[in-house]
Amino acid sequence: MIKIVRTDSKNKDFIALVDHLNDYLKIVDGEDHDFYHQYNGIEILKHVVVAYKNQKPVGCGAFKKYNENSVEIKRMFTRVDARGEGIAGKILTELEKWAKEEGYSTCVLETGKRQIEAMSFYKKMKYTIIPNYGQYKDIENSLCFNKNLS
């Protein structure tokens, strides 16, 4: 059974999952990792979700305010041994629900073009490719998405 828990960035299971995510991204992003890593600090994240399978933390995600109407989805990750079970979809759906409860109408996010599974996942979850925003504007490896929550 999958249990989804709302928490914040001080959650020890979230911190451990993010460590796994960072290890994975070091490999996937290669020499671009340092650029991306500077924008992925977790200390400011107040809206965090951790997924548990049989009381074991297996996935996470978070959001932060992007502008008055939008949140930015951050730190989405599912452990390799728990993929293919719909966990990421449950995490993202919970984040979207929470953002809507907080009064936001849109989610934006960035993923790397080398993260093929992530790109497919966001498309499956009805996210649309948009022009790169903010710090990702001129980054060739970045792909940005958004989704209207209404």
Side-chain angles (χ1 to χ4, degrees):
M1 183 177 129
I2 305 301
K3 179 180 178 183
I4 305 292
V5 175
R6 291 181 180 184
T7 185
D8 61 30
S9 63
K10 294 179 180 121
N11 179 289
K12 65 180 177 54
D13 294 329
F14 175 66
I15 293 167
L17 286 163
V18 168
D19 287 343
H20 289 293
L21 170 60
N22 288 334
D23 290 343
Y24 167 76
L25 291 175
K26 280 179 194 172
I27 296 165
V28 174
D29 290 336
E31 63 187 40
D32 294 333
H33 180 72
D34 287 341
F35 168 78
Y36 290 111
H37 191 68
Q38 69 181 317
Y39 299 111
N40 287 325
I42 63 171
E43 302 78 22
I44 63 166
L45 299 175
K46 295 176 175 62
H47 300 88
V48 169
V49 168
V50 177
Y52 294 87
K53 179 180 176 184
N54 302 322
Q55 291 84 41
K56 178 183 174 186
V58 293
C60 64
F63 70 79
K64 68 178 185 176
K65 179 179 179 176
Y66 179 69
N67 62 31
E68 292 305 310
N69 301 313
S70 305
V71 297
E72 183 178 25
I73 302 295
K74 304 294 288 179
R75 312 287 47 203
M76 283 290 299
F77 179 70
T78 303
R79 291 181 61 94
V80 174
D81 59 355
R83 292 185 182 167
E85 300 179 38
I87 295 168
K90 290 177 182 180
I91 292 167
L92 187 55
T93 298
E94 185 66 21
L95 290 170
E96 292 169 351
K97 179 181 172 188
W98 196 359
K100 199 170 179 179
E101 289 170 11
E102 295 287 322
Y104 296 100
S105 59
T106 307
C107 293
V108 298
L109 62 88
E110 181 276 341
T111 193
K113 289 181 180 177
R114 297 181 197 118
Q115 296 172 41
I116 306 300
E117 300 92 349
M119 290 188 306
S120 297
F121 168 71
Y122 293 124
K123 289 176 183 176
K124 180 178 131 184
M125 295 297 292
K126 309 273 192 263
Y127 278 73
T128 304
I129 296 172
I130 59 172
N132 288 1
Y133 60 84
Q135 64 268 24
Y136 309 112
K137 187 172 179 149
D138 296 318
I139 305 303
E140 188 176 321
N141 184 48
S142 288
L143 190 61
C144 294
F145 291 83
N146 80 340
K147 181 178 180 180
N148 189 327
L149 298 177
S150 29

